[in-house]
């Protein structure tokens, strides 16, 4: 099957790493892919996108986009005007302008899809990338669908109209589907379904005997307020005061870095906490494969107005390697870690987080139990080969509709 994927930036920038296993799984199944990022002005920072780069086509400049719209108006005025008419329920002027630009880009994309022979168009994110894909589908007649993540659901940029237009809308967790249910009508939500973002399942190594070392807790997350690292540092100070032996590694970068650095100094944690910066994805997975990490923690917060964690792919990846995880009962994390697949604590609670980490670090038996339970959850619900198979089935059904 020939599938055109619309991304926000991938393969450029350092985001959207979670899409890579899905694309690789589709390629492994023999499908042809063409990837079109909406934005391509960032450098290539991923370490695993060689095959994707070879299949990437960048959007042209404004002049060529305008030319594509004009040609489409002359060739098929009804469909072209219809693509812009779909935007009529946009509420904010700045969003209307952004949607109009994305629709114009989508008209160019529709020409590309037709000339390439695409059988399906799929967009990641329900915001402007989905607007592009909807416009491309409207002018080309090629069916389309989208994957909704988190902020893009809360933003509610024509979510009802996109669900009605698409073959289906995929939500990556139950929690985000419930958020969407409160925003759109019953006819629209009927076209929605839950299908998680998948990861490749690595082979598990035997638990070989290792030389004693200081236990390592890793937090792989951007240094932004919603990730809650400041509460993790408070919990680390509590653990240190109890005499617990550990190292805490923060893998990520972001605007909170200077504040967190100052907090590490003020709490006297300089000999226990390491700021690793942005760790390449392959290196992060290698840490799990080599069993250099004893526990992964994500102390995410709910900041209100939809600012909370979805289903964290960072945790999913750690669980796939059998690494025990500790996190907070926010957003989609409860869905991921329910039934003992990980340890859940209340958000913004230093003492509960410290207690949970102390239990995990203090018991090899508990770490093994959690690691196995987490791996089973990933095998059942997040295996990218199964996810890709279900996506292709949905793509084919959309063609026949």
């Amino acid at each position: 099957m020939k599938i055109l994927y619309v991304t926000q930036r991938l393969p450029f920038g350092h985001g959207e790493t979670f899409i890579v296993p899905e694309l690789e799984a589709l390629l492994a199944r023999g499908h042809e892919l063409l990837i079109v990022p909406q934005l391509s002005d960032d450098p290539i920072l991923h370490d695993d996108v060689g095959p994707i780069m070879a299949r990437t086509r960048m959007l042209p400049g404004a002049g060529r986009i305008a030319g594509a719209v004009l040609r489409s108006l002359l060739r098929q005025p009804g469909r072209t005007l219809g693509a812009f008419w779909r935007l009529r329920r946009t509420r904010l002027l700045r969003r209307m302008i952004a949607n109009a630009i994305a629709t114009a880009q989508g008209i160019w994309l529709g020409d590309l899809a037709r000339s390439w022979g695409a059988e399906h168009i799929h967009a990641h994110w329900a915001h402007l990338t989905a607007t592009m894909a909807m416009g491309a589908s409207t002018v080309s007649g090629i069916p389309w669908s989208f994957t909704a993540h988190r902020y893009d659901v809360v933003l509610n940029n024509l979510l009802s109209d996109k669900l009605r237009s698409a073959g289906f809308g995929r939500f990556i967790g139950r929690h985000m589907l419930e958020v969407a249910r409160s925003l759109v009508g019953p006819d629209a939500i009927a076209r929605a379904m839950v299908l998680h973002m998948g990861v490749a399942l690595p082979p598990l190594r035997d638990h070989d005997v290792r030389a004693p070392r200081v236990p390592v807790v890793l937090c792989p997350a951007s240094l932004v307020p919603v990730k809650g690292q400041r509460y993790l540092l408070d919990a680390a100070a509590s653990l240190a005061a109890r005499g617990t032996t550990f190292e805490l590694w923060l893998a990520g970068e972001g605007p909170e870095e200077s504040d967190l650095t100052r907090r590490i100094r003020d709490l006297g944690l300089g000999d226990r906490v390491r700021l690793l910066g942005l760790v390449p994805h392959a290196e992060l997975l290698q840490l799990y494969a080599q069993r250099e990490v004893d526990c992964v923690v994500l102390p995410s917060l709910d900041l209100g107005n939809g600012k909370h964690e979805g289903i964290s792919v960072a945790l999913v990846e750690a669980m796939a390697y059998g690494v025990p995880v500790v996190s907070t009962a926010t957003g989609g994390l409860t869905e991921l870690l329910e039934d003992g697949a990980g340890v859940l604590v209340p958000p913004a609670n230093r003492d509960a987080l410290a207690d949970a980490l102390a239990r995990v670090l203090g018991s090899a038996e508990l770490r093994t139990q959690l690691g196995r339970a987490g791996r089973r959850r990933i095998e059942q619900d997040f295996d990218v080969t199964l996810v890709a198979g279900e996506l292709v089935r949905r793509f084919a059904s959309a063609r026949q509709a």
Side-chain angles (χ1 to χ4, degrees):
M1 190 174 191
K2 301 187 76 170
I3 309 161
L4 193 156
Y5 256 70
V6 185
T7 66
Q8 192 175 73
R9 284 184 169 85
L10 187 78
F12 302 95
H14 59 74
E16 298 181 303
T17 308
F18 45 81
I19 304 176
V20 174
E22 184 168 293
L23 299 177
E24 291 176 337
L26 290 168
L27 289 171
R29 295 172 72 96
H31 301 287
E32 295 183 61
L33 298 181
L34 184 63
I35 296 97
V36 180
Q38 186 194 20
L39 303 169
S40 57
D41 50 352
D42 290 331
I44 299 170
L45 301 174
H46 295 287
D47 48 21
D48 52 1
V49 294
I52 296 171
M53 275 302 304
R55 296 168 170 84
T56 297
R57 182 81 171 268
M58 275 77 80
L59 285 173
R64 288 185 60 191
I65 295 291
V69 174
L70 179 59
R71 288 191 300 273
S72 185
L73 274 169
L74 295 173
R75 186 175 62 244
Q76 45 182 7
R79 286 191 175 193
T80 306
L81 293 174
F84 289 101
W85 179 247
R86 287 186 182 276
L87 312 180
R88 65 191 182 279
R89 280 187 281 268
T90 307
R91 294 179 181 176
L92 301 176
L93 176 60
R94 67 177 182 275
R95 191 173 295 172
M96 173 65 83
I97 294 170
N99 275 334
I101 293 170
T103 298
Q105 293 168 335
I107 290 170
W108 173 87
L109 186 70
D111 285 345
L112 174 65
R114 268 193 303 246
S115 63
W116 183 64
E119 298 168 84
H120 192 87
I121 301 169
H122 186 75
H124 266 274
W125 310 98
H127 186 26
L128 295 177
T129 48
T131 304
M132 274 180 61
M134 182 167 65
S137 176
T138 301
V139 297
S140 68
I142 299 169
W144 79 288
S145 56
F146 65 91
T147 293
H149 292 263
R150 184 186 57 81
Y151 91 90
D152 49 329
V153 179
V154 177
L155 200 60
N156 190 17
N157 181 13
L158 299 176
L159 188 57
S160 289
D161 297 88
K162 288 170 180 174
L163 281 167
R164 295 187 187 102
S165 166
F168 64 94
R170 168 209 191 181
F171 292 77
I172 65 168
R174 297 194 307 262
H175 176 74
M176 296 321 300
L177 178 59
E178 290 309 309
V179 172
R181 196 182 302 277
S182 68
L183 299 173
V184 306
D187 61 323
I189 205 67
R191 304 179 79 87
M193 45 86 72
V194 174
L195 183 63
H196 301 300
M197 292 300 302
V199 297
L201 285 175
L204 288 180
R205 295 180 55 178
D206 294 332
H207 288 272
D208 50 328
V209 177
R210 306 184 47 137
R213 60 165 174 76
V214 175
V216 172
V217 177
L218 173 67
C219 178
S222 301
L223 306 183
V224 293
V226 74
K227 300 297 183 179
Q229 285 98 338
R230 61 193 177 98
Y231 292 98
L232 177 57
L233 293 179
D234 290 344
S238 177
L239 288 176
R242 302 179 194 187
T244 304
T245 301
F246 70 96
E247 281 189 11
L248 172 60
W249 297 353
L250 303 184
E253 59 183 14
E256 293 280 284
E257 183 172 352
S258 59
D259 288 344
L260 294 173
T261 300
R262 185 164 48 250
R263 198 171 188 86
I264 291 167
R265 184 186 65 242
D266 293 345
L267 292 172
L269 293 172
D271 59 341
R272 292 179 180 267
V273 180
R274 293 172 55 190
L275 289 169
L276 305 183
L278 185 65
V279 177
H281 189 238
E283 289 184 21
L284 188 66
L285 299 185
Q286 193 65 14
L287 289 175
Y288 301 149
Q290 298 296 330
R291 296 178 52 236
E292 297 293 332
V293 174
D294 297 274
C295 176
V296 165
V297 60
L298 188 62
S300 295
L301 308 175
D302 189 336
L303 301 181
N305 296 319
K307 295 180 180 178
H308 54 67
E309 198 76 48
I311 291 185
S312 167
V313 177
L315 291 188
V316 171
E317 289 178 337
M319 294 161 70
Y321 281 87
V323 180
V325 300
V326 175
S327 193
T328 52
T330 58
L333 297 176
T334 302
E335 178 181 346
L336 174 63
L337 301 183
E338 63 189 359
D339 301 326
V343 178
L344 283 166
V345 299
N349 190 318
R350 178 198 71 174
D351 294 332
L353 185 58
D355 290 345
L357 290 171
R359 288 198 310 274
V360 173
L361 294 177
S363 172
E365 181 180 355
L366 177 58
R367 290 196 298 275
T368 299
Q369 174 188 329
L370 288 169
R372 289 173 176 168
R375 168 73 180 208
R376 284 195 300 271
R377 169 59 50 80
I378 304 311
E379 289 173 344
Q380 292 167 1
D381 297 329
F382 294 86
D383 180 349
V384 73
T385 59
L386 302 179
V387 169
E390 178 60 18
L391 270 178
V392 170
R393 191 184 72 79
R394 296 273 180 167
F395 293 161
S397 296
R399 284 183 65 201
Q400 297 164 6

